[in-house]
């Protein structure tokens, strides 16, 4: 049997109840079938006929397909090849996260989860949130960061709107901020931060970002880079800075530093240390 090299599967090491699939230049066709999990993904190349809810959609690059558990569907390329990425998310776990974001599930479906409203999405906000989530899973970002991206996606796909007025920081939010700043070399688990704040995970992420301007994982990274600048100016070795601030390695530090400052740590340091 010829090995199909057009498809790759991977179980997330960050959230093990999510499976990733990438199909590149595939000619695969799928008969009508269903999944026990939520499944959703993006078409990256080519065109296909996608049938769900007894309706056929003609889809192409940039379109997001959203499939509920037990939905019978099929998806096949119109001609030639197609490329796409998909996520398969455990229904029970998805339901728990949804409850934090949108509360009660819709009538007519299992009380354990809220179904996607549409079989197809072309909203740019949903698209960007999906790509961010997939990238975080693929690159094995921290649990804190991946959860943040998952909540962002669910918020977008279910039409939730951001908070409008900036609140005063509660004492619980300040405790979370202090916990992040006390030891920037460690990335705390979202569950621990939520308990510290006495909020749900989603409530914490939403409130923290609304007040401080960044979700906790990004706020922590921002603080690391600010401290790195001070350390580099003082003449500390780049490798030592990376280690002390909790970066995976020097290369990771350099990538993150350049994202924020637009130059490498070495170039930045050269302007202050002979």
């Amino acid at each position: 049997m010829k090995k199909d090299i057009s498809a790759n599967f991977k179980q997330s090491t960050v959230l093990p109840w999510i499976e990733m699939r990438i199909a590149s230049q595939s000619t695969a066709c799928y008969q009508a079938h269903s999944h026990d999990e939520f499944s959703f993904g993006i078409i990256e190349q080519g065109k296909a006929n996608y049938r769900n809810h007894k309706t056929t959609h003609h889809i192409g690059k940039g379109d997001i397909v959203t499939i509920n558990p037990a939905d019978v569907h099929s998806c096949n390329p119109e001609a030639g090849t197609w490329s796409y990425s998909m996520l398969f998310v455990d229904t029970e776990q998805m339901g728990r996260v949804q409850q934090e974001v949108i509360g009660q599930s819709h009538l007519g479906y299992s009380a354990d989860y809220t179904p996607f409203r549409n079989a197809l999405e072309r909203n740019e906000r949903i698209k960007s949130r999906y790509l961010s989530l997939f990238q975080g899973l693929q690159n094995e970002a921290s649990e804190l960061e991946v959860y943040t991206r998952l909540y962002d996606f669910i918020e977008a796909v279910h039409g939730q709107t951001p908070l409008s007025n900036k609140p005063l920081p509660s004492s619980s939010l300040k405790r979370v901020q202090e916990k992040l700043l006390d030891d920037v070399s460690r990335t705390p688990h979202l569950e621990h931060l939520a308990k510290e704040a006495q909020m749900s995970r989603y409530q914490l992420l939403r409130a923290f970002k609304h007040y401080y301007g960044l979700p906790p994982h990004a706020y922590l990274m921002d603080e690391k880079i600010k401290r790195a600048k001070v350390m580099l100016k003082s003449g500390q070795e780049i490798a030592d800075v990376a280690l002390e601030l909790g970066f995976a390695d020097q290369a990771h530090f350099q990538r993150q530093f350049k994202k924020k400052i637009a130059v490498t740590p070495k170039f930045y340091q050269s302007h202050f240390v002979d």
Side-chain angles (χ1 to χ4, degrees):
M1 181 181 294
K2 184 178 180 181
K3 184 179 180 181
D4 183 2
I5 60 173
S6 68
N8 290 285
F9 297 86
K10 183 181 180 182
Q11 202 76 25
S12 170
T13 57
V14 185
L15 302 180
W17 35 273
I18 297 182
E19 177 186 305
M20 295 171 274
R21 174 174 183 154
I22 298 176
S24 179
Q25 299 290 309
S26 174
T27 57
C29 294
Y30 301 90
Q31 295 182 345
H33 65 288
S34 67
H35 303 287
D36 289 334
E37 311 93 341
F38 277 91
S39 53
F40 48 95
I42 191 168
I43 308 303
E44 296 176 344
Q45 171 264 320
K47 295 182 179 181
N49 292 314
Y50 162 54
R51 186 169 178 80
N52 194 353
H53 296 304
K54 299 181 180 180
T55 301
T56 298
H57 307 270
H58 299 285
I59 59 176
K61 185 177 180 179
D63 288 342
I64 299 277
V65 298
T66 49
I67 305 166
N68 294 310
D71 277 356
V72 176
H73 62 283
S74 61
C75 202
N76 300 300
E78 289 185 355
T81 64
W82 64 324
S83 302
Y84 59 89
S85 67
M86 291 287 295
L87 294 176
F88 299 86
V89 183
D90 177 81
T91 301
E92 183 178 351
Q93 294 286 351
M94 182 73 151
R96 289 175 183 171
V97 176
Q98 287 175 328
Q99 285 290 329
E100 294 184 57
V101 179
I102 56 180
Q104 295 297 316
S105 57
H106 298 308
L107 296 177
Y109 285 81
S110 166
D112 295 333
Y113 66 84
T114 300
F116 291 129
R117 294 177 299 177
N118 304 310
L120 172 66
E121 298 285 359
R122 289 181 168 131
N123 181 286
E124 286 300 317
R125 181 169 175 244
I126 295 173
K127 176 182 173 180
S128 66
R129 295 284 177 87
Y130 169 81
L131 291 171
S132 177
L133 171 59
F134 195 91
Q135 182 186 53
L137 289 163
Q138 193 174 35
N139 295 341
E140 299 182 348
S142 70
E143 180 203 63
L144 184 60
E145 182 171 351
V146 172
Y147 259 119
T148 300
R149 296 184 183 195
L150 176 60
Y151 283 119
D152 284 346
F153 172 77
I154 292 174
E155 189 178 73
V157 82
H158 286 291
Q160 298 300 104
T161 56
L163 295 169
S164 56
N165 297 316
K166 187 174 183 177
L168 293 173
S170 64
S171 58
S172 57
L173 273 183
K174 287 182 177 178
R175 287 199 305 272
V176 170
Q177 182 204 31
E178 290 167 359
K179 193 174 185 69
L180 291 171
L181 298 181
D182 280 347
D183 184 1
V184 299
S185 67
R186 301 184 64 181
T187 303
H189 289 289
L190 177 58
E191 193 72 42
H192 297 162
L193 294 178
K195 287 181 179 178
E196 183 73 37
Q198 297 181 314
M199 298 178 181
S200 74
R201 297 172 300 184
Y202 173 66
Q203 287 171 333
L204 168 63
L205 291 175
R206 204 174 187 211
F208 193 96
K209 181 179 180 181
H210 193 54
Y211 184 77
Y212 292 107
L214 294 168
H217 75 273
Y219 184 88
L220 181 61
M221 181 59 70
D222 193 59
E223 181 64 25
K224 286 185 179 187
I225 299 303
K226 287 188 286 189
R227 294 189 187 190
K229 290 170 66 179
V230 174
M231 295 164 75
L232 290 170
K233 283 182 178 181
S234 72
Q236 286 189 239
E237 294 291 333
I238 293 174
D240 293 339
V241 173
L243 180 64
E244 188 172 332
L245 293 176
F247 289 94
D249 51 37
Q250 191 170 326
H252 180 220
F253 170 47
Q254 290 178 338
R255 287 195 301 273
Q256 294 298 327
F257 191 91
K258 191 169 184 180
K259 282 182 182 179
K260 297 282 188 183
I261 312 299
V263 297
T264 65
K266 184 177 181 179
F267 183 79
Y268 179 83
Q269 188 179 54
S270 69
H271 290 76
F272 304 97
V273 179
D274 293 331

